[in-house]
């Protein structure tokens, strides 16, 4: 299967294996249309469930990932075979003409010549039908062959460590759509060593809710301002969850054993006194370590301890700017 076919397969697989939190999110969105007709207590329960689901989605970004791409398999994929002209329809019509024998009624009504002309037309129509099928098949083959050639060429470049090929592959698979929907933008850099770094503009403070919603014993809605400590913890977990997801996606697409992810957000620059978009987390994700983690059970922030990383965080203050890791200090390995 080529990378375009692999992409379609991955997308279908992702739809089948979609997280419960996302399925529930869409169900809640459908229920929103009925919100106005709900009783007050139902509305309260609905709002709390939407809130809890939103938080769950934010903290579980890292749990999804596309399938690992086998570039060697793509490089060795079988070349699509060029179709040949299949004259089935013409042959069947020619056989009917050759074996035609007028029956008694045809002889009586002198229909033999007309029927032979009709059968001759069927031969020409069969020939045209065969040609149309061949032209369609050949057009499909040309597209399939072009895709096959493209994917083999990309696989060859990937296996040889071509820097641009890495960016081309990531662009083709578009693995970061979900994160983009949550408000994060990604810039990809291939360093001189070939090490890929994703710079993630997280803007997490705009995504984390500023209130806590819960149900009172009476069933009524309680809305309170979120304590700063809780807000900062959610922000940290969200940033780390996004970083883990980006690292996983890069390692699923690339044959490298190491990638870097640097998350940026608006924080106070102590040298200027202004808010600036600066690194708040920089981490080098190794394939072996990521593969060893139980990603469904980890705390995203605590998981950073498993990797070389730079992060300054206090529950009462949130993130502080850090110096991003230096790509030159790592040796790139291939899986």
């Amino acid at each position: 299967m080529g990378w375009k076919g692999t992409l379609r397969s991955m997308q279908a697989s992702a739809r089948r294996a979609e997280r419960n939190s996302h399925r529930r999110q869409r169900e809640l969105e459908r229920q929103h249309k009925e919100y106005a007709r709900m009783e007050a207590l139902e509305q309260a329960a609905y709002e709390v469930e939407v809130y809890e689901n939103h938080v769950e989605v934010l903290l579980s970004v890292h749990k999804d990932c596309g399938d690992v791409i086998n570039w060697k398999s793509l490089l060795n994929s079988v070349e699509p075979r060029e179709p040949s002209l299949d004259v089935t329809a013409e042959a069947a019509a020619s056989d009917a003409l050759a074996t035609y024998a007028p029956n008694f009624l045809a002889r009586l009504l002198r229909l033999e010549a007309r029927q032979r002309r009709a059968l001759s037309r069927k031969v020409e129509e069969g020939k045209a039908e065969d040609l149309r099928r061949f032209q369609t098949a050949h057009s499909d083959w040309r597209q399939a062959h072009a895709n096959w050639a493209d994917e083999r060429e990309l696989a060859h470049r990937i296996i040889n460590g071509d820097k641009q090929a890495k960016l081309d592959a990531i662009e083709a698979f578009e693995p970061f759509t979900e994160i983009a929907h949550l408000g994060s933008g990604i810039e990809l850099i291939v360093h001189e060593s070939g090490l890929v770094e994703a710079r993630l503009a997280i803007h997490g403070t705009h995504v984390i809710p500023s209130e806590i919603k819960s149900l009172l014993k009476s069933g009524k809605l309680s809305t309170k301002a979120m304590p700063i400590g809780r807000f900062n913890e959610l922000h940290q977990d969200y940033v780390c969850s996004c970083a883990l997801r980006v690292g996983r996606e890069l390692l699923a697409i690339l044959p490298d054993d190491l990638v870097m992810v640097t998350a940026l957000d608006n924080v106070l620059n102590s040298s200027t006194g202004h808010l600036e978009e600066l690194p708040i987390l920089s981490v080098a994700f190794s394939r072996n370590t990521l593969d060893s983690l139980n990603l469904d059970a980890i705390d995203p922030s605590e998981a950073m301890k498993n990797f070389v990383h730079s992060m300054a965080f206090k529950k009462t203050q949130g993130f502080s700017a850090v110096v991003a890791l230096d790509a030159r200090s790592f040796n790139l390995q291939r899986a």
Side-chain angles (χ1 to χ4, degrees), residues 24-36 38-54 213-215 219-221:
R24 185 56 182 154
Q25 184 180 41
R26 281 198 303 279
E27 183 181 340
L28 291 169
E29 290 170 352
R30 287 193 295 270
Q31 290 180 11
H32 181 70
K33 298 177 181 178
E34 305 296 324
Y35 182 82
M38 292 180 182
E39 298 292 337
L41 295 184
E42 289 180 307
Q43 289 181 351
Y46 171 79
E47 288 198 34
V48 170
E49 191 165 1
V50 169
Y51 163 78
E52 292 175 345
N53 175 259
H54 177 62
K213 293 185 178 182
S214 60
L215 291 177
K220 294 182 178 180
L221 177 67

Side-chain angles (χ1 to χ4, degrees), residues 251-262:
L251 290 172
I253 293 173
L254 303 174
D256 303 341
D257 192 46
L258 187 74
V259 295
M260 280 178 54
V261 178
T262 299

Side-chain angles (χ1 to χ4, degrees), residues 272-297:
T272 66
H274 298 296
L275 288 177
E276 297 180 24
E277 189 173 73
L278 298 170
I280 57 173
L281 169 66
S282 189
V283 54
F285 289 111
S286 68
R287 184 183 300 276
N288 289 339
T289 304
L290 258 180
D291 288 346
S292 71
L293 301 181
N294 180 358
L295 292 164
D296 286 331

Side-chain angles (χ1 to χ4, degrees), residues 77-96:
S77 60
V78 178
E79 180 178 5
R81 185 175 179 179
E82 184 175 6
S84 56
L85 180 61
D86 180 1
V87 295
T88 301
E90 180 187 0
S94 296
D95 183 66

Side-chain angles (χ1 to χ4, degrees), residues 222-255:
S222 171
T223 302
K224 298 179 180 179
M226 183 176 291
I228 188 63
R230 176 56 177 157
F231 182 90
N232 288 337
E233 286 180 330
L234 288 177
H235 185 200
Q236 184 190 30
D237 280 340
Y238 171 66
V239 169
C240 294
S241 183
C242 286
L244 278 163
R245 171 66 176 277
V246 172
R248 292 186 67 196
E249 295 286 5
L250 291 176
L251 290 172
I253 293 173
L254 303 174

Side-chain angles (χ1 to χ4, degrees), residues 39-228:
E39 298 292 337
L41 295 184
E42 289 180 307
Q43 289 181 351
Y46 171 79
E47 288 198 34
V48 170
E49 191 165 1
V50 169
Y51 163 78
E52 292 175 345
N53 175 259
H54 177 62
V55 173
E56 182 184 357
V57 168
L58 293 178
L59 303 187
S60 60
V61 176
H62 63 281
K63 294 182 181 181
D64 279 343
C65 185
D67 296 335
V68 175
I69 306 302
N70 187 335
W71 291 104
K72 291 182 179 179
S73 175
L74 291 182
L75 184 63
N76 297 322
S77 60
V78 178
E79 180 178 5
R81 185 175 179 179
E82 184 175 6
S84 56
L85 180 61
D86 180 1
V87 295
T88 301
E90 180 187 0
S94 296
D95 183 66
L97 176 61
T99 58
Y100 169 74
N103 57 25
F104 171 77
L105 186 61
R107 291 195 299 271
L108 178 65
L109 300 177
R110 299 180 180 180
L111 298 176
E112 180 179 354
R114 182 187 302 176
Q115 290 179 343
R116 287 189 181 276
R117 287 195 299 271
L119 289 172
S120 295
R121 286 195 300 272
K122 289 289 186 182
V123 173
E124 295 304 314
E125 291 170 1
K127 185 183 298 184
E129 179 185 342
D130 291 336
L131 182 58
R132 283 194 299 271
R133 284 191 292 104
F134 171 73
Q135 289 172 336
T136 299
H138 202 269
S139 177
D140 292 343
W141 169 80
R142 286 198 304 270
Q143 184 61 58
H145 194 275
N147 291 341
W148 172 81
D150 287 345
E151 70 195 25
R152 287 190 77 250
E153 188 263 345
L154 180 58
H156 181 76
R157 291 163 56 211
I158 285 286
I159 291 171
N160 286 335
D162 182 274
K163 296 177 185 178
Q164 184 59 45
K166 296 181 180 184
L167 297 177
D168 292 343
I170 296 168
E171 180 182 359
F173 284 99
E174 299 181 335
F176 306 125
T177 302
E178 179 185 347
I179 298 176
H181 289 167
L182 293 176
S184 305
I186 296 178
E187 176 190 6
L188 296 168
I189 302 169
V190 182
H191 291 280
E192 187 64 30
S193 64
L195 180 64
V196 173
E197 177 185 4
R199 296 178 67 83
L200 180 64
I202 204 82
H203 303 306
T205 54
H206 301 296
V207 178
I208 306 301
S210 59
E211 298 176 328
I212 294 177
K213 293 185 178 182
S214 60
L215 291 177
L216 299 173
K217 289 184 178 180
S218 63
K220 294 182 178 180
L221 177 67
S222 171
T223 302
K224 298 179 180 179
M226 183 176 291
I228 188 63

